[in-house]
Every structure is written in C-alpha cells, then in structure tokens.
Amino acid sequence: MAGMSIGQAAERSGCTVATVRHYEDEGLLKGIGRAPNGRRVYGWPDIHRLRFVRRCRDLGFSINDVRSLLGATDASSPDCLAVRDMAVAHIDRLRVMRAEIDALERSLSSLAKTCNEACATGRSPVCTIVEDLGATASG
Amino acid sequence: MAGMSIGQAAERSGCTVATVRHYEDEGLLKGIGRAPNGRRVYGWPDIHRLRFVRRCRDLGFSINDVRSLLGATDASSPDCLAVRDMAVAHIDRLRVMRAEIDALERSLSSLAKTCNEACATGRSPVCTIVEDLGATASG
DNA sequence: GTGCATCCTCAGGTAACATGAGGATCAAGC
DNA sequence: GCTTGATCCTCATGTTACCTGAGGATGCAC
C-alpha cells in the first residue's frame, strides 16, 4: 500500500490525474518518487497533502494561498495563527461575494418580473429587459 | 457628440479601452466606424450596446451568453421571453453559488474557531486547522 | 515645435487546470 | 507469446475575459 500510481493517488485525493500533475508542476508536492519505469509513485503523506490542497482549493483559496498555507504548515513550528488569519480574511472575501450575488439576484428577479408584466402580455413592442440592461449603467 | 473616441466610449460605457476593443474582437459590436486617421469612431448606439454588454457581464453572464442575448435582441422582434428565461436560469446558478459560499463560510468559521480554542492557547503542538483540512475530504 | 496624451496593432501573460498528440508500458486473457 | 485495452509519460495547446507592454503614429495644448 506504500506505492500508489497517479491514478490511485488521484482517486484517493479527489483530484483528477491532470490536476495531480499540475499541483506537482506548481511545486505544491515535494519529492514525488519515480518507479524504474519512470512512473510517479505516491505514498500516504502525498495523498494527505493532495487532499489538503484540494480542500483548500474547494474552499476558494488560490494556488498561491495554498502555497502560503503549506509554507506555514511545513515550517518546523506550523504558524497556526497565520493560517487562521488567512481563513478569517477569506471569510471576509466570501461575505463580499455573497452580498454581490444577492444584489445580482435582486436585479435579475426584478428584470424577469418586469418582463413578465410588460412583455409576456404583448403590451410592449420592445423587450423592457433589453432597455433595462442597456439604458443606464447601474449605480 | 456623434463621433466619440474609444476613450470617450470607454468612459461613457463603464469599460476600459482594452475591454472595448476586446468586445469588438469578440464580435459583440458591429460596424464600428473609422476616422480617416484609422481611429475608431463610436456613436450613442454603440455606447448603449457597450453598456448592455458591460451590465450583462457584471450580472455574471459569459461573453457567449451575451452573444445569445444580443442575438435575441438584434432580431427583428426581440425574443423577450428567451431573454427572460436566460435571466431565470442565471438566477438559479446564483442560488447555487450562494449556497456554496454559505457552506464555505461555515467551514472556515468552524476552522478558525477550532484554531482559536486549540491552537492559540498553545495547547496543541500541531495546528488543528492543518489536520482538519488534510485529514479527510469533506463529504 | 515641443511634449504629453491618446490611439493603433500585434504578442504574450494571467489562473487553474482540461484536452489531445504521440508513444511507452502494464495487466489480463487466450 | 501475443493481442488488447487501460494507464502512464511528456509536451503543446485550449479555455475565459480580459490586462499589459512593445513599438510606433497621431492629436492637442501651449
């Protein structure tokens, strides 16, 4: 169980094969061994590291963020507080994103509603959505 | 006021100059005139079209979406209902995105909280965030 | 006429991979 | 021993929506 192929590593870490190679290219994986036939060989520590990267990516961190996180965790004494600070900073980013999404949804709902009232009844010769979108830039 | 430079067009439409050129390259603008000196010349219809594209992009539609929207609106009788359907479909996408963001925020908050309790007090020799992230893939 | 702003057309960069070409290797079945 | 299909390798290019910069022409103000 100590020597896994890239296919197995991908499956166990929740990545695609291409993504595993990509993370190695990006320097997020260190010291991946090679079998005599040239194929990559993975051990469990590599799988854990891949999962870590994958999960961070799923959480919305960039590759560079992950690099920093790994730097903090690779250090002799993992800088937990730095990691926490990055998490907190990212939460702030998420809140901004959610606010934007909420605003967009309101805009689109309003647009669709207007259309239902004015267009679907055949009352308007020109789709009001089109006018709404093109007339004035919001804000 | 009928012949605007690309700089003026950009300013009035809320795009950058590079973006205005890009939209033209993408075929979203049609029949942009040229002055004898080779510079692009824009009229108000172009500005409205640029605003339309810009606003759609702000609303999260892809360039291809916008192409479809413009196709619907360019038709002799704008297909308002098609436009509305795209808006509604996009609202669904936004709802999925928001659900994901909410989940991420919960995960990160939980992570940060755990860290505050276990790491910041110096109780844990290894940052629990690191373990949390790497141990098991969520789900 | 000097200088700075604006414009032009390429070409290449960005993020995070996905996809495909062209070829080697492995494992299974006959 | 041999065929076949799956997996692996590297390298190159595609994706999305632009941004940035090179190298050069033009416009406008003083």
Side-chain angles (χ1 to χ4, degrees):
Chain A
M1 326 266 173
M4 288 173 269
S5 70
I6 194 171
Q8 291 174 309
E11 191 179 350
R12 292 180 206 249
S13 64
C15 305
T16 68
V17 168
T19 300
V20 174
R21 290 203 195 96
H22 179 62
Y23 288 165
E24 187 181 346
D25 289 346
E26 289 289 333
L28 300 179
L29 268 43
K30 297 183 299 188
I32 298 301
R34 295 281 182 145
N37 57 17
R39 298 191 173 190
R40 294 174 178 82
V41 179
Y42 300 81
W44 281 109
D46 302 318
I47 307 301
H48 286 302
R49 201 176 176 90
L50 278 169
R51 281 185 189 162
F52 177 85
V53 175
R54 186 67 257 162
R55 183 138 160 75
C56 289
R57 292 284 306 118
D58 287 343
L59 289 173
F61 291 100
S62 71
I63 292 274
N64 265 331
D65 287 341
V66 180
R67 224 188 300 277
S68 302
L69 288 168
L70 285 173
T73 65
D74 279 346
S76 54
S77 66
D79 191 350
C80 174
L81 292 184
V83 174
R84 186 205 54 183
D85 288 346
M86 289 188 66
V88 171
H90 194 59
I91 288 173
D92 288 342
R93 290 204 290 272
L94 289 180
R95 291 197 173 134
V96 170
M97 287 171 64
R98 191 178 45 201
E100 286 172 354
I101 285 177
D102 287 348
L104 299 190
E105 188 182 333
R106 276 195 298 275
S107 290
L108 284 173
S109 295
S110 164
L111 243 43
K113 183 175 167 230
T114 302
C115 179
N116 276 335
E117 292 169 353
C119 293
T121 62
R123 187 154 56 81
S124 174
V126 177
C127 178
T128 62
I129 278 189
V130 178
E131 289 182 345
D132 287 348
L133 286 174
T136 55
S138 76
Chain B
M1 323 262 175
M4 287 174 271
S5 70
I6 193 171
Q8 290 173 311
E11 191 179 350
R12 291 178 207 249
S13 64
C15 305
T16 68
V17 168
T19 300
V20 174
R21 290 202 195 97
H22 178 62
Y23 289 164
E24 186 180 349
D25 289 344
E26 289 289 332
L28 300 179
L29 268 43
K30 298 183 300 189
I32 298 301
R34 297 278 182 149
N37 57 16
R39 300 193 170 186
R40 294 173 179 83
V41 179
Y42 300 82
W44 280 109
D46 303 317
I47 307 300
H48 286 301
R49 200 175 177 91
L50 278 169
R51 282 184 189 164
F52 177 86
V53 176
R54 186 66 255 164
R55 183 134 161 76
C56 289
R57 293 283 307 118
D58 287 343
L59 289 172
F61 291 100
S62 71
I63 291 275
N64 264 332
D65 287 341
V66 181
R67 224 189 300 278
S68 301
L69 289 167
L70 286 174
T73 64
D74 279 346
S76 54
S77 67
D79 190 349
C80 173
L81 291 184
V83 174
R84 187 205 53 181
D85 288 347
M86 290 189 64
V88 171
H90 194 60
I91 288 174
D92 288 343
R93 291 204 291 272
L94 289 180
R95 293 199 172 132
V96 171
M97 288 171 64
R98 190 177 46 202
E100 287 172 353
I101 284 177
D102 288 347
L104 299 190
E105 187 182 332
R106 276 195 298 275
S107 290
L108 286 173
S109 295
S110 163
L111 243 43
K113 185 176 165 227
T114 301
C115 180
N116 276 334
E117 293 170 353
C119 293
T121 63
R123 187 152 58 80
S124 174
V126 178
C127 177
T128 61
I129 279 189
V130 178
E131 289 181 346
D132 287 349
L133 287 174
T136 55
S138 74

